[in-house]
Amino acid sequence: MERKNWLYLGPNPCEEECASMKDYDAHITEVRKYVQMLKDRFIDIPEGAWFGLKREDGSDYGAYYEAVVYYFENDLEASEFAFFAECNCPVKWKDTEKINWKLALAK
């Protein structure tokens, strides 16, 4: 049986101001935009890995969302990709360079 795991990537690029969680629509829109940015950034994503949103409860403002990279733990390529993606997230909204993660790891 495949076991799914995930790594948190934040709600937006780490050097950018984030939308207030008090404004749910702005918050969820920003996280969705960030997930799409991640999908567009990485080339040749393995089948056992994917980007998505993860809901968390318990903040002072209620539920909030973060971008995550999901992966199947028993899939070595997917696991390698997930950790590579975590270490190579964009830090600014303008960081739109495409990354072929397999070539980058081969260097």
Side-chain angles (χ1 to χ4, degrees):
M1 181 176 189
E2 293 184 300
R3 184 167 173 221
K4 179 176 74 171
N5 205 343
W6 60 87
L7 299 172
Y8 291 99
L9 305 176
N12 60 298
C14 64
E15 291 184 7
E16 297 284 2
E17 293 290 323
C18 60
S20 171
M21 288 188 290
K22 292 179 185 179
D23 183 347
Y24 175 81
D25 290 335
H27 170 66
I28 194 74
T29 298
E30 182 174 72
V31 179
R32 286 182 179 141
K33 179 181 171 185
Y34 185 44
V35 168
Q36 187 60 55
M37 181 184 200
L38 292 163
K39 290 177 181 178
D40 294 341
R41 182 174 176 83
F42 295 98
I43 298 169
D44 202 17
I45 299 171
E47 282 187 35
W50 64 98
F51 294 104
L53 281 82
K54 184 151 183 9
R55 179 189 161 121
E56 294 295 340
D57 296 311
S59 79
D60 292 341
Y61 306 109
Y64 66 96
Y65 292 85
E66 288 204 34
V68 295
V69 57
Y70 291 102
Y71 63 98
F72 290 117
E73 289 182 341
N74 64 333
D75 184 330
L76 180 60
E77 184 180 50
S79 297
E80 287 177 345
F81 170 76
F83 286 96
F84 179 87
E86 180 188 39
C87 293
N88 291 278
C89 288
V91 297
K92 296 276 189 185
W93 287 113
K94 66 180 181 179
D95 295 341
T96 57
E97 174 189 358
K98 303 254 186 231
I99 298 175
N100 185 321
W101 73 280
K102 288 181 181 180
L103 291 178
L105 278 180
K107 290 182 181 179

